[in-house]
Amino acid sequence: MTAPDARESAPLLRTSPAASTAENYGSAATLYNEFLEEDSVSTSAIAKQEASLLVGSTIPLALAYLLQFSFNFVNILSLGHLGASELAAAALANMTLFMLVNAPAVGLASALDTFCSTAFTAARDKTLVGFHLQRGLISVTIHLLVVLPLLLYLEPILVALHQDPEISRLCSSFVRAQLIGTIPWMYFECIKRYIQAMGHMKASTYVLLGVLPIHLANNYFLVWSPTVGFGFLGAAVANVITFWGMFIGLVVYICLSDARRAWGGWSMQALRTMPQYYSLAIPSMVLVCSDWAAWELMAIAASYLGNVPLAAQTIVINTCSLTYQVPAGLSIAVTNRAGNLLGQARARRSRISSFIGLLLGCISGSLSSAFCLIAASWWGSVYSSDPHVIAEVAVIMPICALFQLSDALNGVSGGVLRSLGRQKAGAWVNFPSYYFLGFPLGLYLTYGSPGMGVTGLWIGICVGVTIASIGQTLICVTADYAEEVSRCMAQVNKNMYIAAESDSENPDDSV
């Protein structure tokens, strides 16, 4: 199949995708309509244009991820001075919320990366983007209702799992207090993807920059202040205030920007068509949860090795989380860019943009790898003064260097797959790579006859993520982007039909 001509009007488009989008959304669409698709434009020229756009989008997105990462870091610093039990309880509470709430919610919301980015440029009725947002909000709300009983009665569950009774009590109270902020946090993740699909890449960064000083102040006043502070639970309350601030800030931004035009009001049809949404959302959730769970399982496995290996493991995981913020931002940028181009029926440019994203992911990962090699001997001293911990970190960091390159490529290739709506393929690659190969190999190297200690865990996870990144990248580079355009148009046509179905049959359903 030959690539569609850029000037050709698809069935859902008024004149051309770019013209339709620019006509209705003006500056919000500028990022995605800046360059014309001409057969005479060389591949190198398009590559330079796409590289410039992706880098420009990645910077604010990476900063936003870094800001979100800093919120939990501030909490740990604040609680670390209260006592070992409080710090352990907060860490256990965070792990519980990450695995039961955050990871599944991010996975469910990630389906919006596919639905919204293509709908914005392909659909003649831009409120289809808002229709998809409704389905994302419904999916995370349903998920919270499912896990809510576990979160409300967490203490007896932890005690039954032989956790320390005092830590179980503190952890349970921390989780219950933070539940008030769970809904706005999940809605923030959904709305963030809604506006990013329309080119508003800096919005979440502005909101998080505004919330950060409030979060810092609350962690002092609510935890340590002799007048209004109430210690351990003050950190949970600070999180709740921060999450509500994030959500409200993004809603206010939408109300004041042209992003509000894509919101068409609530419709019962969004609820009726949830099975179609879950067809992408569940594989997305598997992708996210398999990645996050691997980290938590590594931490649990390392905890049986003693305090020094566990401390070294914690330092290296924290380092990986820090360096991953750039590939994470790049992943979102390439998802929306390639998805928007598919919606504009620009197969050639979408393919080049995806390839440039993968190349930038390799560059980002290589820089992180170089840092791990250069800083291996002294990086542990940034976190600890224990010479044994520093020495253990120095052993792990060279292995972590190889991991950095594979992890960055894995993240960006996952973004390309989301733009193509190929989450199922990614899930089939990721899950067995981590849990049938990487993690079992790590356990064998650590606790089996090799007896390699925490180094074995890192070799195992490095093998797993390398296999996953190779598999996902092969899917990306062998995809037929002209066929993907046809599939994208068919999907948007279907979504337009089901979104409009209730309006024609039940005009009072939408508000």
Side-chain angles (χ1 to χ4, degrees):
M1 179 181 295
T2 58
D5 191 285
R7 294 158 291 186
E8 179 181 76
S9 296
L12 292 175
L13 309 173
R14 290 176 177 169
T15 53
S16 70
S20 173
T21 304
E23 173 189 343
N24 287 293
Y25 285 82
S27 59
T30 300
L31 177 63
Y32 296 101
N33 303 310
E34 187 174 354
F35 304 110
L36 295 176
E37 187 79 15
E38 299 284 355
D39 292 336
S40 60
V41 179
S42 67
T43 299
S44 61
I46 294 177
K48 290 178 182 178
Q49 294 166 356
E50 294 304 311
S52 176
L53 287 172
L54 289 176
V55 170
S57 297
T58 298
I59 292 172
L61 290 172
L63 180 58
Y65 275 108
L66 187 61
L67 289 170
Q68 283 188 267
F69 175 80
S70 71
F71 292 154
N72 186 58
F73 181 70
V74 169
N75 279 354
I76 296 300
L77 287 180
S78 181
L79 291 171
H81 296 283
L82 290 179
S85 295
E86 287 80 2
L87 183 59
L92 184 59
N94 285 332
M95 184 181 74
T96 301
L97 289 168
F98 281 165
M99 296 312 302
L100 293 181
V101 179
N102 295 19
V106 169
L108 292 169
S110 293
L112 294 173
D113 293 334
T114 303
F115 285 121
C116 291
S117 62
T118 54
F120 179 58
T121 47
R124 72 173 169 270
D125 182 1
K126 301 305 174 186
T127 60
L128 181 59
V129 183
F131 175 77
H132 291 314
L133 172 61
Q134 291 177 49
R135 301 200 294 181
L137 296 174
I138 291 170
S139 71
V140 297
T141 303
I142 292 174
H143 173 73
L144 180 61
L145 293 176
V146 170
V147 300
L148 190 59
L150 291 175
L151 299 174
L152 290 175
Y153 299 98
L154 187 60
E155 183 177 354
I157 296 174
L158 293 176
V159 172
L161 294 173
H162 305 292
Q163 291 292 328
D164 180 81
E166 175 64 12
I167 291 178
S168 298
R169 182 186 65 81
L170 289 172
C171 173
S172 179
S173 62
F174 193 94
V175 168
R176 285 199 303 270
Q178 196 161 304
L179 279 177
I180 304 172
T182 300
I183 280 288
W185 183 88
M186 294 192 302
Y187 287 0
F188 173 85
E189 288 296 320
C190 291
I191 297 172
K192 179 174 70 174
R193 286 162 170 79
Y194 164 80
I195 61 175
Q196 286 171 350
M198 294 181 281
H200 296 264
M201 298 297 181
K202 299 178 182 179
S204 57
T205 308
Y206 294 149
V207 170
L208 291 170
L209 281 172
V211 170
L212 179 60
I214 299 174
H215 185 74
L216 292 172
N218 284 337
N219 261 273
Y220 169 74
F221 287 112
L222 298 178
V223 178
W224 290 99
S225 173
T227 54
V228 299
F230 45 98
F232 177 69
L233 289 182
V237 175
N239 284 342
V240 170
I241 296 172
T242 296
F243 296 155
W244 276 102
M246 290 160 53
F247 168 65
I248 294 171
L250 217 50
V251 170
V252 170
Y253 176 88
I254 290 174
C255 292
L256 298 178
S257 70
D258 53 14
R260 68 186 183 277
R261 301 181 192 175
W263 176 256
W266 292 99
S267 171
M268 284 298 295
Q269 188 69 350
L271 184 60
R272 297 189 189 107
T273 59
M274 286 305 297
Q276 190 221 23
Y277 183 83
Y278 281 126
S279 68
L280 284 185
I282 291 177
S284 295
M285 185 171 66
V286 171
L287 275 172
V288 173
C289 290
S290 62
D291 191 6
W292 288 27
W295 291 106
E296 300 300 338
L297 289 173
M298 281 182 66
I300 294 172
S303 67
Y304 292 99
L305 296 172
N307 292 336
V308 170
L310 179 59
Q313 168 83 351
T314 302
I315 291 171
V316 178
I317 287 180
N318 184 271
T319 303
C320 290
S321 299
L322 185 64
T323 56
Y324 186 70
Q325 306 312 309
V326 173
L330 177 59
S331 174
I332 297 298
V334 74
T335 297
N336 286 287
R337 177 59 178 166
N340 282 152
L341 290 170
L342 288 174
Q344 293 173 337
R346 299 161 79 180
R348 180 190 176 209
R349 186 176 283 270
S350 180
R351 183 174 185 271
I352 295 173
S353 184
S354 298
F355 285 16
I356 292 299
L358 294 171
L359 177 60
L360 291 174
C362 290
I363 294 172
S364 171
S366 298
L367 292 175
S368 297
S369 296
F371 169 79
C372 289
L373 291 174
I374 294 171
S377 62
W378 56 267
W379 183 245
S381 62
V382 175
Y383 292 83
S384 174
S385 57
D386 188 325
H388 299 290
V389 173
I390 296 171
E392 189 74 38
V393 171
V395 173
I396 301 173
M397 288 288 275
I399 304 170
C400 180
L402 179 58
F403 172 87
Q404 294 281 349
L405 176 59
S406 298
D407 197 37
L409 185 58
N410 193 46
V412 177
S413 60
V416 175
L417 291 180
R418 288 196 302 274
S419 72
L420 301 175
R422 303 281 294 274
Q423 286 93 329
K424 288 182 181 178
W428 279 109
V429 170
N430 262 269
F431 190 84
S433 297
Y434 279 115
Y435 297 102
F436 296 163
L437 180 61
F439 193 65
L441 175 62
L443 290 178
Y444 169 71
L445 294 175
T446 300
Y447 295 103
S449 56
M452 299 178 67
V454 71
T455 304
L457 289 175
W458 277 95
I459 292 175
I461 198 68
C462 185
V463 170
V465 77
T466 300
I467 297 298
S469 65
I470 293 173
Q472 289 195 157
T473 302
L474 285 174
I475 297 173
C476 295
V477 300
T478 57
D480 184 339
Y481 281 74
E483 181 63 31
E484 296 298 335
V485 166
S486 299
R487 197 163 62 88
C488 163
M489 294 303 177
Q491 185 66 56
V492 174
N493 267 306
K494 180 180 179 181
N495 289 327
M496 286 291 294
Y497 174 77
I498 63 176
E501 193 175 48
S502 64
D503 293 336
S504 60
E505 296 179 0
N506 305 291
D508 294 330
D509 272 355
S510 59
V511 293

